[in-house]
Amino acid sequence: MIQIDDAGSGSLVGGTAIGILRVETNEYLWDIIPIKYFTSPYFENKRYEDYTLSMIKKIYKGTKYI
């Protein structure tokens, strides 16, 4: 099971932190989605979702993200 949570999306001062936990292995990854993904044209195209998806794909592949 993968658990995902965010912090900072309510107040975009410095981007949004995303934490991803793979429960079976206790592997934890995190990154900051840069503030640019919450401005035009990135925001309208929901590019912040693409950024998060790339993180999820890396944990499924077993790649160390940080």
Side-chain angles (χ1 to χ4, degrees):
M1 173 173 36
I2 302 285
Q3 295 178 349
I4 303 170
D5 198 10
D6 73 307
S9 59
S11 177
L12 294 172
V13 175
T16 296
I18 300 290
I20 301 174
L21 174 67
R22 181 181 233 168
V23 176
E24 295 82 9
T25 62
N26 208 31
E27 184 179 6
Y28 178 74
L29 308 174
W30 69 273
D31 197 0
I32 304 284
I33 300 174
I35 195 76
K36 79 173 191 176
Y37 288 96
F38 299 97
T39 62
S40 290
Y42 301 100
F43 186 75
E44 291 81 7
N45 295 318
K46 298 187 178 187
R47 295 297 306 274
Y48 53 88
E49 291 179 354
D50 296 335
Y51 196 94
T52 304
L53 260 172
S54 70
M55 294 174 62
I56 295 167
K57 288 176 184 177
K58 288 180 185 199
I59 197 169
Y60 269 112
K61 291 179 182 177
T63 303
K64 296 291 183 187
Y65 197 72
I66 55 172

